[in-house]
Amino acid sequence: MQFISTRGQSEPLEFSAAVEAGLAPDGGLYLPDSLPDISSKLSEWERYDYARVCFEFMRLFATDYDESELQRIIGQSYKKFADKRIAPLVQLDEKTHVLELFHGPTLAFKDFALQLLGNLYEAQIKRTGSSINVLGATSGDTGSAAIHGLLGKEGVNIFILYPDGRVSPLQERQMTTTGATNVYPISITGSFDDGQAAVKDLFGDLEFKAEYHLSAINSINLARILAQCVYYIWAWLRLPEAARANLEFVVPTGNFGNVLAGWLTQQMGLPVSSFRVATNQNDILYRLFTTGTYAVDDVKPSLAPSMDIQIASNFERFLFYKVGQNPEKVRELMKQMRETGKVDFDAFDPDSFTTSRSEDGDIERLIKEVHERYNYIVDPHTACGFQTLDPDKTSVILSTASPAKFPDVIESAIGIHPTVDSLEKLKTYPIVTYPLPADKEAIRAFIKEHVSSGEKQEEKS
């Protein structure tokens, strides 16, 4: 299988090369040249455990990998999950289920993709003999999951930008207390969007990208999206047949990547009625799906900081399909977004999407209501998913993080201070961070300073 850019001006790549590249040279995002039909495979996959389902799905895309190697990589990627089910599906009542995606090493859904991506990078380094410098921006959980997916991997440096003061204290500690000499947590002034813009600018500098062998860990990397597809399939397979008939996945999202993964499985034949885009007060996606206008606004810090995003990078992948896979039209619209921050879509069809939004006051109320009704505790992001559920549908709400990562919000809402031992230990470790402006030249200079000349020469050879 080949992977093509949404902007149509880069050569198609095989899976491993597209994963290593992250962002296409023309600034676009990679997608499969065609989507496989998985509908006939679902009954067989129902017998398998999570790692096997992941392997059966990923082998459809990673066609340049030896299958035994791919199976080993995937098996290794899910060994550090605390629950043997990997992604347990918890039923709260007849119509409401929660898919718990927080049992990985950093207690967030990003572990599903980033444990795998770390192992794919390791395999790629062994295959090519070249080191990799991983660069990404985070609004909270991506950074810690990326770091912990790459800890102990030879030939990797990792540079993570995060908005100073706009992630939770425990999210910051997960990034800044590893003690690893190849990890560089960079606290930037501004928002996640500012960091993401700097990252994209640096990937757009093809000479710099090649010289320093940059690779992306944000959800602009296609491996992230494909790995996240798997837990939608897994959840569907765990549901009783009667519950599958009118099913809505409810997805707290800011960057659109998590819900895009679900939508892609529907396009591949997974029978899902709809997907609920659940936003916080940074509601660009809510406004898009209710008005047909994509308009960037200022980021407002919230109780659900991982969703404090106004520029949804993965919308470009969805847009590619919405304009009939026309890369010229994608380039035109992305240019308009970049120059004006706004695009009006005439007669925008929300397709399989519904949407909801939650202010900070709603988040605390929803945490309290869920606890009182079900004796179940949800983190602030998952709480957004409980806003205005459709009573006529089976709802599977994706629980994106452990409530223990946001103890102050939980305590304010219900008087309980959730803890996890692994997080409590972080409070005893010294924080190491590198403050920088959200400026591509400052970040470029920092990377040059911290990547040795020996590594560069190895990459050039």
Side-chain angles (χ1 to χ4, degrees):
M1 177 176 286
Q2 297 283 298
F3 294 83
I4 57 175
S5 169
T6 51
R7 302 188 188 182
Q9 295 180 319
S10 294
E11 290 296 318
L13 298 177
E14 291 190 312
F15 177 80
S16 58
V19 169
E20 184 176 356
L23 194 69
D26 61 5
L29 306 182
Y30 286 111
L31 279 168
D33 57 5
S34 62
L35 295 176
D37 184 353
I38 64 171
S39 58
S40 64
K41 304 176 186 296
L42 295 172
S43 59
E44 178 185 351
W45 291 358
E46 196 166 1
R47 305 194 305 268
Y48 299 151
D49 64 11
Y50 190 92
R52 179 65 185 272
V53 172
C54 185
F55 166 70
E56 296 292 340
F57 179 77
M58 293 298 294
R59 71 194 293 196
L60 303 175
F61 302 93
T63 53
D64 57 333
Y65 267 83
D66 177 81
E67 289 198 349
S68 62
E69 181 187 20
L70 183 64
Q71 192 163 21
R72 178 191 61 77
I73 288 170
I74 291 171
Q76 181 183 357
S77 300
Y78 297 102
K79 284 183 177 178
K80 295 180 181 178
F81 281 63
D83 192 300
K84 292 181 179 179
R85 296 167 293 178
I86 311 299
L89 185 67
V90 178
Q91 184 168 2
L92 299 184
D93 62 28
E94 183 182 0
K95 292 278 191 177
T96 311
H97 300 73
V98 174
L99 183 63
E100 293 186 346
L101 300 176
F102 54 77
H103 295 288
T106 69
L107 309 179
F109 80 98
K110 306 293 179 72
D111 288 322
F112 281 82
L114 288 165
Q115 285 290 305
L116 175 58
L117 186 56
N119 289 323
L120 289 172
Y121 278 142
E122 185 174 51
Q124 184 72 350
I125 290 167
K126 289 178 180 177
R127 179 183 296 189
T128 64
S130 296
S131 60
I132 292 176
N133 293 300
V134 174
L135 174 63
T138 184
S139 55
D141 286 327
T142 291
S144 55
I147 287 168
H148 286 266
L150 292 167
L151 284 178
K153 308 294 186 191
E154 292 186 10
V156 180
N157 292 306
I158 181 164
F159 300 86
I160 296 293
L161 282 58
Y162 69 94
D164 188 30
R166 297 194 184 190
V167 300
S168 81
L170 287 172
Q171 285 176 319
E172 182 176 39
R173 283 190 168 274
Q174 284 186 317
M175 291 185 279
T176 60
T177 62
T178 65
T181 58
N182 67 329
V183 172
Y184 300 96
I186 301 170
S187 58
I188 60 166
T189 52
S191 68
F192 163 79
D193 290 330
D194 297 324
Q196 180 82 312
V199 167
K200 284 192 170 184
D201 283 344
L202 288 170
F203 275 97
D205 183 341
L206 300 184
E207 183 178 345
F208 179 74
K209 179 185 176 184
E211 180 178 1
Y212 285 84
H213 213 182
L214 295 187
S215 193
I217 53 84
N218 284 83
S219 54
I220 58 177
N221 195 306
L222 72 96
R224 287 275 310 273
I225 301 301
L226 293 177
Q228 288 172 207
C229 289
V230 177
Y231 48 68
Y232 287 93
I233 300 167
W234 172 258
W236 186 90
L237 293 172
R238 305 274 78 73
L239 285 168
E241 285 193 27
R244 299 171 181 170
N246 193 17
L247 170 63
E248 180 165 81
F249 280 103
V250 183
V251 190
T253 190
N255 213 16
F256 201 68
N258 203 11
V259 74
L260 174 73
W263 182 81
L264 286 173
T265 64
Q266 184 196 53
Q267 306 312 297
M268 297 179 211
L270 189 70
V272 179
S273 298
S274 58
F275 297 88
R276 169 69 61 91
V277 174
T279 76
N280 64 4
Q281 60 200 25
N282 294 291
D283 59 354
I284 187 169
L285 296 172
Y286 174 83
R287 288 181 279 118
L288 169 67
F289 285 107
T290 53
T291 70
T293 297
Y294 183 100
V296 176
D297 202 349
D298 293 332
V299 174
K300 300 182 282 287
S302 79
L303 297 179
S306 295
M307 295 156 64
D308 290 347
I309 296 169
Q310 282 290 323
I311 301 173
S313 295
N314 270 285
F315 180 63
E316 181 170 341
R317 283 188 167 109
F318 178 63
L319 186 62
F320 178 78
Y321 293 106
K322 291 298 287 183
V323 299
Q325 302 183 41
N326 181 342
E328 183 178 356
K329 185 65 174 176
V330 172
R331 294 197 301 272
E332 174 190 329
L333 292 171
M334 293 309 297
K335 183 174 184 287
Q336 184 179 343
M337 288 182 193
R338 185 171 62 253
E339 292 177 351
T340 70
K342 180 179 179 180
V343 175
D344 290 309
F345 293 94
D346 295 332
F348 184 80
D349 178 9
D351 196 40
S352 301
F353 292 97
T354 64
T355 189
S356 63
R357 72 183 298 275
S358 300
E359 298 276 354
D360 276 358
D362 296 318
I363 289 173
E364 288 205 343
R365 171 182 58 79
L366 290 164
I367 291 171
K368 185 176 181 180
E369 287 179 359
V370 170
H371 186 248
E372 289 178 346
R373 183 171 182 179
Y374 302 116
N375 193 29
Y376 189 81
I377 301 175
V378 294
D379 84 286
H381 307 80
T382 306
C384 295
F386 283 85
Q387 184 82 289
T388 60
L389 293 176
D390 187 335
D392 296 325
K393 293 181 178 179
T394 298
S395 295
V396 174
I397 300 134
L398 273 60
S399 185
T400 57
S402 167
K405 297 187 80 168
F406 306 91
D408 295 340
V409 180
I410 304 302
E411 186 168 23
S412 175
I414 61 176
I416 294 173
H417 190 90
T419 61
V420 172
D421 287 345
S422 62
L423 294 178
E424 291 303 301
K425 289 179 182 177
L426 297 179
K427 297 176 182 179
T428 66
Y429 301 150
I431 288 176
V432 177
T433 187
Y434 303 88
L436 287 177
D439 173 77
K440 69 174 182 180
E441 295 306 327
I443 296 160
R444 184 202 308 271
F446 183 87
I447 292 171
K448 286 183 174 181
E449 179 185 352
H450 290 86
V451 174
S452 71
S453 57
E455 286 176 297
K456 288 190 292 178
Q457 289 301 322
E458 179 190 14
E459 288 154 12
K460 289 179 180 178
S461 61

